Amino acid sequence: MTPYPFAAVVGLDDLRLALLLTAVSPAVGGVLVRGEKGTAKSTVVRALAALLPGVDVVAGCRFACDPAAPDAACPDGPHAAPVAATRPARLVELPVGATEDRVVGTLDIRRALADGVTAYEPGLLAAAHRGVLYVDEVNLLPDHLVDLLLDAAAMGRAHVERDGLSVQHAARFLLVGTMNPEEGEPRPQLVDRFGLVVTVRAPREPGARAEVVRRRLAYDADPAGFAARWAGADDALAVRIADARRRLPGVLLPDAQLDRIARICVEYGVDGMRADIVVARAAVALAAWHGHDTVTADDIRDAARLALPHRRRRDPLDPPGTDEQKLDDLLERDAADHPDEPPPGDSDGDEDPQPPPPGGGGPNPDDPGPDDGGPDGGPGGGPGGGAPAPTDGAATPDGDPAGDPGGDPGDADRPDPRPAPQPVGAPAAAGPAYRPRALRLAARGDGGHAGRRSPAYARRGRIVRSRAPRGDRLTGAVHLPATLRAAAQRGARRATVADLREAVHVGREANLVLFVVDASGSMAARRRMTVVKTAVLSLLRDAYQRRDRVGMITFRGRTAEAVLPPTSSHEVGVARLADLRTGGRTPLAAGLRTAAATLATERRRDPRRRALLVVVTDGRATSGPDPVTVAGALAGVAAVVVDCESGPVRLGLAGRLAAALSADCIPLEHLERAA
């Protein structure tokens, strides 16, 4: 199908600029696009491939070797006298459900068995070399595939060590990922590999939304005709990319501007040196895109705005984003302290420092300009480029809620150092998170979701046995000894496809961790809610590290509420926990019933993901029926009861509930793992 034209995308200025910069200079490191569903993320990325210059390759080479400098280790080499051929740059899509052998390549089993030769079948990384590797829903990518991407991105090469093969080949590609933050954050190591991050949002102006729909309907009615209308504008962008690539090596980055980049990164408190390098490369690419011979302060500002949002987080559960006002203040103060450049925005007037809309000047007279949304309801990228600042109740790195509701700034001058008492029902603050004891399901799962919590059959891990393939193709690595034994048992000298055996691995899987938290008045009266929140925060962070989905149910008064439906967005769970209020009676039975209903729904939705129920309570029930009588609704669910009872005299009600649930009972003070 004809792709949607890049120039026809309405608005999304930051996203289009970030993609164009990486097209000009792939060394910038790719783009991560964050945004809610229906914001044209995938549409814009797929449209980029048509703008990229053609690639000169060695004719017949499956690994896209450059004829001017062939890869000496190319599996199809050596290329002694290469014949050059030109082909369009490729956009290779990596599906979330791809297997490891599909990504890195594997042994060609049929040739190995039929011809007795060791032949390598390339994977997606080989196909993406010198092109674009696009990962939709990159935050949902399994850990083992993330590891492969990290290795390839770090070294520029793919290594295959499996099934008796030892192969390596070049794998340098422009990595572009899209994600919906509602479904959880990707691993920090993967996010750091993206040079630039852009957040897109749906437009709020009726005119912008109407233009988005108008263009989308026109495209759906006649894709080829719609693309033809915008072919001139797309061609102009392609020419501009090629010109900027030629100009790039001659762009000067003065020492004064390099010092400015270093000062900005230091003031922002980013970790490592990758941020400085990416900002420098992006600023040079911006200068080339604008036609500058020298990097300016405005180039640095725009580069920092796109390169720093995801590198300032101190905790993986903090909301991403950059403080643009702080960035502006830093640049203005830096310009005043080091007056080697006019302040940002005070250009000499020869050229607008902001890039023109990529689709500007197109042939369509109806183009409404750069302030409208994208083809699928996408917004203008806006000046922010990052997620909004944390709202009241969002957790800070030490676990305290941002915007403490108690206390006036002048309190520090008062003689009484005691904090003012919180109003009744106000959220209690959690303390610093700690490393909790490992909570796991004892039984072995089928490995439906790779993770780090409970034992399960998996694609990787310790080999425990072999088995015949299920269906027409292998789902795991070949178990060569078992394959040869199967052939020997037939009395054959050579194995056939019918003799194939695959290895069965045991690793770990991710689970659904459902928290059921007592938020009744008795918890607040005994000042236990701060300790409880700290424990739940620690377990949330542990669930993030183990790649679990999480959900949270609270009960107080007469009812229970699912404050966090099961999700992969752990940072949303932290925000819900910070907002958790207490008070009222203790309807423990209602909390258990709501948990049973939630788990039943999730079981229908995803039957392969096993659940772990974590009930945080002292076992008291002052509203509703006896919780022991409703425990049968949770039969077969793995559970842990965290006993919050305190004081010298304890009733042991949490232990009684744990016995009814066939669950372990862990005292709250024993939840923290011993050093």
Side-chain angles (χ1 to χ4, degrees):
M1 184 175 180
T2 304
Y4 195 95
F6 191 92
V9 175
V10 183
L12 297 178
D13 294 346
D14 279 351
L15 173 55
R16 293 189 294 173
L17 178 60
L19 292 173
L20 291 169
L21 290 182
T22 53
V24 170
S25 176
V28 168
V31 183
L32 174 62
V33 188
R34 301 167 48 87
E36 58 197 8
K37 52 187 176 294
T39 48
K41 303 184 295 293
S42 300
T43 299
V44 182
V45 172
R46 292 188 176 103
L48 174 69
L51 305 182
L52 299 178
V55 179
D56 291 333
V57 299
V58 174
C61 178
R62 297 174 297 168
F63 301 88
C65 278
D66 186 348
D71 181 10
C74 175
D76 283 356
H79 302 297
V83 177
T86 301
R87 63 164 173 77
R90 290 174 178 167
L91 185 143
V92 177
E93 298 195 31
L94 195 162
V96 171
T99 60
E100 181 177 345
D101 58 346
R102 184 71 187 94
V103 176
V104 298
T106 187
L107 177 69
D108 189 331
I109 297 297
R110 297 189 180 277
R111 286 194 60 191
L113 297 180
D115 303 331
V117 298
T118 301
Y120 173 64
E121 183 178 354
L124 296 177
L125 295 183
H129 179 48
R130 304 177 68 196
V132 179
L133 182 64
Y134 171 46
V135 187
D136 193 13
E137 306 294 351
V138 67
N139 50 325
L140 304 182
L141 201 64
D143 273 0
H144 67 286
L145 297 186
V146 171
D147 293 338
L148 296 175
L149 281 185
L150 289 175
D151 289 342
M155 298 181 292
R157 303 191 70 81
H159 292 260
V160 183
E161 300 285 346
R162 56 179 298 176
D163 301 333
L165 279 173
S166 180
V167 176
Q168 61 173 298
H169 61 81
R172 292 183 297 274
F173 44 80
L174 173 59
L175 181 61
V176 180
T178 56
M179 58 169 285
N180 184 347
E182 296 175 353
E183 297 172 340
E185 294 291 327
R187 285 170 55 182
Q189 298 95 323
L190 179 60
V191 175
D192 190 54
R193 287 294 174 184
F194 289 96
L196 311 178
V197 170
V198 178
T199 298
V200 295
R201 301 179 182 88
R204 296 295 178 259
E205 303 81 12
R209 300 176 76 96
E211 182 60 27
V212 168
V213 176
R214 185 177 299 114
R215 294 192 185 186
R216 186 71 207 192
L217 292 177
Y219 170 75
D220 291 341
D222 182 10
F226 184 83
R229 292 173 56 195
W230 290 91
D234 265 6
D235 291 344
L237 282 174
V239 170
R240 188 173 176 185
I241 290 173
D243 290 344
R245 282 191 174 187
R246 286 191 292 269
R247 191 180 298 116
L248 186 70
V251 174
L252 176 65
L253 176 60
D255 287 343
Q257 299 295 12
L258 189 56
D259 291 342
R260 173 169 289 158
I261 291 172
R263 289 190 295 268
I264 292 172
C265 292
V266 169
E267 289 289 337
Y268 253 73
V270 298
D271 295 327
M273 293 299 301
R274 184 171 286 120
D276 305 60
I277 296 171
V278 171
V279 172
R281 288 172 173 168
V284 171
L286 273 163
W289 176 252
H290 295 324
H292 301 164
D293 294 327
T294 304
V295 172
T296 67
D298 287 303
D299 295 328
I300 292 175
R301 185 196 185 282
D302 284 340
R305 183 167 53 83
L306 296 172
L308 295 183
H310 56 304
R311 292 192 165 92
R312 199 183 173 206
R313 301 168 72 184
R314 285 292 176 268
D315 189 288
L317 297 184
D318 288 342
T322 185
D323 186 342
E324 290 231 12
Q325 186 58 51
K326 179 174 181 177
L327 179 58
D328 289 337
D329 294 343
L330 285 174
L331 289 169
E332 290 176 6
R333 185 169 67 247
D334 189 82
D337 295 341
H338 305 83
D340 57 301
E341 274 273 326
D346 293 345
S347 301
D348 56 11
D350 293 339
E351 184 177 355
D352 184 355
Q354 296 296 326
N364 189 346
D366 297 329
D367 184 5
D371 296 329
D372 297 332
D376 287 331
T391 57
D392 287 349
T396 54
D398 61 359
D400 293 330
D404 185 1
D408 181 80
D411 287 349
D413 299 326
R414 297 175 184 172
D416 187 357
R418 294 175 299 176
Q422 291 184 334
V424 176
Y434 51 76
R435 189 179 182 189
R437 292 174 54 179
L439 306 179
R440 295 190 176 97
L441 283 73
R444 185 178 293 172
D446 65 358
H449 299 275
R452 299 181 178 178
R453 183 172 297 277
S454 303
Y457 295 109
R459 293 183 185 277
R460 307 173 73 179
R462 179 170 53 91
I463 297 177
V464 294
R465 59 184 176 86
S466 64
R467 68 183 177 197
R470 299 173 179 175
D472 295 335
R473 59 177 301 165
L474 293 170
T475 58
V478 175
H479 196 296
L480 290 178
T483 300
L484 296 176
R485 280 197 304 269
Q489 288 171 357
R490 288 193 306 108
R493 294 185 177 181
R494 177 176 295 179
T496 66
V497 174
D499 298 318
L500 277 177
R501 298 294 182 269
E502 62 184 8
V504 177
H505 300 264
V506 169
R508 296 204 174 273
E509 68 176 1
N511 302 121
L512 166 61
V513 181
L514 182 63
F515 298 96
V516 179
V517 182
D518 185 350
S520 64
S522 61
M523 302 292 283
R526 294 191 302 277
R527 300 182 181 275
R528 299 293 290 167
M529 205 58 199
T530 293
V531 181
V532 169
K533 279 193 172 184
T534 302
V536 178
L537 177 65
S538 303
L539 291 170
L540 276 170
R541 181 174 284 107
D542 181 69
Y544 169 83
Q545 294 169 344
R546 297 181 187 277
R547 310 292 178 260
D548 297 314
R549 285 173 63 85
V550 294
M552 188 183 303
I553 294 168
T554 62
F555 55 92
R556 64 173 183 152
R558 295 183 179 277
T559 61
E561 178 186 5
V563 296
L564 180 69
T567 177
S568 297
S569 187
H570 300 80
E571 61 274 11
V572 176
V574 173
R576 296 287 190 273
L577 180 66
D579 288 337
L580 184 61
R581 296 175 179 270
T582 59
R585 299 174 68 84
T586 312
L588 177 53
L592 297 178
R593 284 199 182 107
T594 304
T598 301
L599 292 176
T601 300
E602 289 301 306
R603 196 176 299 116
R604 291 191 295 270
R605 180 178 301 165
D606 187 356
R608 299 188 66 189
R609 187 182 292 272
R610 298 189 295 164
L612 175 63
L613 180 68
V614 180
V615 184
V616 184
T617 180
D618 57 9
R620 287 180 170 84
T622 59
S623 176
D626 184 351
V628 172
T629 63
V630 301
L634 292 162
V637 177
V640 173
V641 175
V642 178
D643 184 1
C644 300
E645 191 173 25
S646 61
V649 179
R650 305 195 180 193
L651 302 178
L653 297 177
R656 178 170 169 259
L657 174 64
L661 292 172
S662 300
D664 291 333
C665 185
I666 302 175
L668 181 61
E669 58 270 21
H670 295 168
L671 187 63
E672 184 173 2
R673 179 180 298 183

